[in-house]
Amino acid sequence: MAENENAHGVRDRGRKGTTNRETEPARAHGVNDAEPRPADTPSFEAAADYRRVRLDLIPLRRRDKMPADRRWQERVYEQGEVLERARRDGLNLGVRLPADVVVVDVDPRNFPAGRDSLAELAAAFDLPLASAPHVLTGNLSHPGHHFYFRKPAGAVLLDSVEGFEGVEFKSLGRQVVAPGSVHPSGGTYRWAPDSPPLPDMPELPAPLIEAARRPERKSVTGAGEITAEQLAASLEHLDPTDFREHDAWRELMMACHHATDGAGRQEFIDWSTSDPKFSDHEWIVGRRWDSLHTDRDAAVTIATLRRRLSEVGADIAQPDAAEDFDVWDEVEPGEERRRWNFLSLDEVESLPPPRWLVPGVLTEGSLAAIYGAPESGKSFLAVDMSMAIAGGVNWHGRQVERGGVLYIAAEGAPGLGKRFRAWKVDRCAQGRRFDLHLMRDDLNLAAEKDGGVRAFVQAVTDELGPLSLIVIDTLNQTAAGADENSAKDMGRYIASMKLLRNATGAAVVVVHHSGKDLGKGMRGSSALLGAMDTTVEVERATDGRSIKVEVKKQKDAERGSPMRFNMEKVGDSLVLRPTVMEVMEGEFAGGMDPILELARQEANERGGSIPLKELAAIVCERDSVSDKTARRKIEQAVPDGRSNARATIDGFMVWLEPMDARNPRLGILVRTEG
C-alpha cells in the first residue's frame, strides 16, 4: 500500500485540530450559530413542528443517534405514543424522512484541510442555506448542521457528491435526529436562532439534484438477499482490524453492498469506523459505498460475505422472528401502555391542512372511491388522473403533485395499454417519463388471513419505490368470496387499503360500482362509505358521449361543483376532455379555467413569463385549434394588466402585459407571480 494511503483507498490529508472552521460554515451564510449547551434529558417542544408538515417522529436510543426499534423504516408509528414513550424512557427523537424531503447533513470534521465544503457546495449550486430550516447538531466539540429542503419525490439521491467531503444528503429510508435530543457528547440538538420555520423548506436546486441523482442500475441476481439489520448482526463476527489491507476491505464492502442491494450503507460505515485507526472516516467510507451504485456488474456477491464469515466459524445472521410483529422493544412485558392520545386546542389548531394530490378532488395519503354504474366511465377517470400524476401533467387545468403510481388492474387490463397510449397522444406527452406501474395478478384484499396482503404490501414497498397514488380497479375483482353487504368483510377490505396507505404514504383509490339506484351511492355496506375520505361519483349522460364527475364526500375540505367531460376518440381508444368546468366555490373560485392554469404552469417553468405567441403555439398543439382561436382562448382567460390579474388554484396571479410598453410591436407577455 502506498505511503499515507489508508485501507479505504484514500490518501490521508492529515486532520487539523478543532478550529473555528468547524463552527463557521453556517455563519458564513448568515446563520447565527449559538454555542451548544450541555443537557441531561431531551426536550420535546419541537415535536409539533414536524407534525405540522407531516414528518414522522420515531424513537431513538437514549443519548444516541440510532433508532430504538428494528425495522423502523417499515413500522407505523402513532405520534402520541412515540412522544409518550420518549418522555417515559428519556429517549431521543428522530425524524423519518419521506421521499420529498432531503436533509443536507454537514459534518465539518470531514472537510478537507483548509477547505469549507459547505461554502463550496452553496457557491457551486446556488444552494439557499439562509432560507432553509436549520438544526445545530449538538456535538460540543465539533458542531454540525442539518438543513431541510424539498425535492421531487421521484428523484432518488446518492448520499454524497464527489468533491464535497463532509456533506451528505439524507432522504427516503434515512432518519435524522430531531431538535431537543441529547448528543452523546452532552450537547443539545436545537433549531438555529434565526432558522426559518420548518414549513418554509425551499426547493433543493435542480442542478444539485442532477449532480446527486442515483444512477439507474440493472437488476443483479441475488442482490438484496438480507436486510441491513442482518448485515449489522453478521458483521459483529468480523474484526475490522483484520481488513486494514485495502483490497480485502473493498472486496468485503462490495459483498455487503450486493447482499443488501445498497441498503446496508450505515451499518457498513459503523463497522468500518469501529476500527480506531479509521474512526474519523465516515464520509470516506460512505463515498466509497456510494460509488458502487454506478457499477454495472456485481463481480463480488453475498457469497464472499458468507466465505469471510465461515472463516471465523459464523454465518449470515438469520432474521429475528420477533421482527415480524410490530412491538415496542422498550416496553417491559406486562407493562400497560395508555391507548389514548389527547390533543390540546393549540395542537389541534396547529395540525396541517390536507395537501392536494389533485386539487379539489383527491388529497395526499387519503382513502377514496370512484364509483358509478357499469360503463359509466369510472375507469377512464381513474386512468386520466393516474397518468396526470405519474407524468406531472396538469389535470384539466389543476396542477397535480407528481409522483409514482401503481395501477392494480384486476378488471379490463388488456385494454389499458390503448388507453394509456391515447392519453399520451392527446396530451402530446409521448416523450415524457411516466412513473406508472401496472399489476394484473390475482389479489384478494378481503381475505380472512392477511398474510397474503402483507406479503403484497411488502413487495410494493420493496420493489416500486416512492408512490403517491395506488388505484385498485375494481373492488369486486379484488374481494374474492367477500360479501359486499357485510360490514365484517368490508372491514377486512378497508384494513387492507389502510395497510397499503400506511406502508407507502400513497392515496389509495378503489374503483367500485354503484347500486341499482345511483341516488343511493356506492353498492354494499355503509362501512365502506364511512371509511372513505373522498368519494367521487361518475354518471354517464344519456347521449353516451359525456360524463358527469361529482365529489360526493370530501372529509377535510369543501366539495366543489360537478365537472363534465366528453369522451372523445383518440387513436383506438377514448380520452376525457372537459366541456363545462364549473367554477368551484371558496378557495378554488376563479382558478378552474384550464387555459389560466396552463398559462401559470408554462410561465412558471420559464421564470415567471412566457411570450403570448409561444403559449398560443402550445394551445394550438394541445387542442388542435388555429392560432387565432388559441389567442382568443388565452385573451378570454387571462386579463390585461397587473391590476386586473386573475388568481389560479394555488394562489398565483396571471396577467398580460407588453414586452416593452414603449414599443407594443415587440409582442405581449403572459406574466405570473406567486
Side-chain angles (χ1 to χ4, degrees), residues 458-572:
Q458 186 65 53
V460 169
T461 56
D462 287 347
E463 299 177 25
L464 299 188
L467 294 174
S468 293
L469 174 66
I470 297 174
V471 175
I472 306 168
D473 190 0
T474 59
L475 184 148
N476 177 261
Q477 295 299 314
T478 54
D483 179 359
E484 291 180 4
N485 293 304
S486 164
K488 181 179 179 181
D489 286 0
M490 288 300 95
R492 288 198 298 268
Y493 196 95
I494 293 162
S496 295
M497 289 181 69
K498 289 181 176 179
L499 188 63
L500 263 176
R501 188 264 316 273
N502 294 342
T504 64
V508 180
V509 177
V510 63
V511 179
H512 191 32
H513 296 287
S514 58
K516 293 181 180 179
D517 182 356
L518 186 62
K520 293 184 178 179
M522 288 188 297
R523 189 171 72 189
S525 169
S526 60
L528 191 65
L529 173 62
M532 295 298 108
D533 300 302
T534 302
T535 62
V536 180
E537 180 185 84
V538 181
E539 183 179 4
R540 195 155 190 168
T542 54
D543 62 11
R545 291 186 60 253
S546 62
I547 64 173
K548 182 177 77 170
V549 175
E550 185 174 3
V551 177
K552 286 292 190 177
K553 177 183 178 182
Q554 194 67 279
K555 182 178 178 182
D556 294 317
E558 293 292 325
R559 288 184 293 131
S561 300
M563 299 161 279
R564 302 180 189 275
F565 299 90
N566 281 338
M567 299 181 69
E568 301 188 7
K569 187 171 179 60
V570 172
D572 53 1

Side-chain angles (χ1 to χ4, degrees), residues 231-253:
L231 176 63
S234 300
L235 288 175
E236 289 178 0
H237 298 289
L238 299 178
D239 186 344
T241 63
D242 293 337
F243 292 83
R244 288 181 175 177
E245 196 277 321
H246 172 255
D247 289 344
W249 175 86
R250 184 175 186 276
E251 181 186 58
L252 183 65
M253 176 180 67

Side-chain angles (χ1 to χ4, degrees), residues 55 63 106 108 137 178 202 217 233 236 264 364 403 457 547 577 599 618 628:
L55 291 180
R63 294 187 69 154
V106 183
T137 62
R217 302 171 65 243
E236 289 178 0
E364 292 183 342
V457 171
I547 64 173
R577 288 181 178 167
I618 294 171
K628 182 177 180 180

Side-chain angles (χ1 to χ4, degrees), residues 68-123:
D69 302 322
R70 296 188 179 190
R71 300 180 67 180
W72 58 271
Q73 295 101 328
E74 305 163 24
R75 288 177 181 265
V76 177
Y77 285 103
E78 202 289 314
Q79 299 302 283
E81 291 181 344
V82 171
L83 285 171
E84 177 189 350
R85 175 184 173 191
R87 289 191 178 103
R88 183 191 68 226
D89 298 332
L91 304 180
N92 279 341
L93 290 175
V95 185
R96 183 167 57 186
L97 299 174
D100 63 343
V101 173
V102 58
V103 170
V104 177
D105 184 358
V106 183
D107 187 348
R109 293 177 297 171
N110 291 316
F111 288 0
R115 288 176 51 194
D116 182 343
S117 295
L118 179 62
E120 293 171 7
L121 184 78

Side-chain angles (χ1 to χ4, degrees), residues 333-352:
E335 183 180 354
E336 203 173 306
R337 285 191 290 111
R338 290 190 308 176
R339 297 170 51 202
W340 315 117
N341 180 30
F342 302 106
L343 298 180
S344 69
L345 182 58
D346 288 342
E347 288 176 314
V348 173
E349 291 177 346
S350 68
L351 292 175

Side-chain angles (χ1 to χ4, degrees), residues 45-55 150 191 197-199 201 346-355:
E45 286 77 10
D49 295 323
Y50 292 96
R51 296 171 74 179
R52 290 189 187 100
V53 294
R54 296 185 175 181
L55 291 180
R150 291 281 183 191
W191 289 111
L198 189 58
M201 285 180 273
D346 288 342
E347 288 176 314
V348 173
E349 291 177 346
S350 68
L351 292 175
R355 291 177 58 182

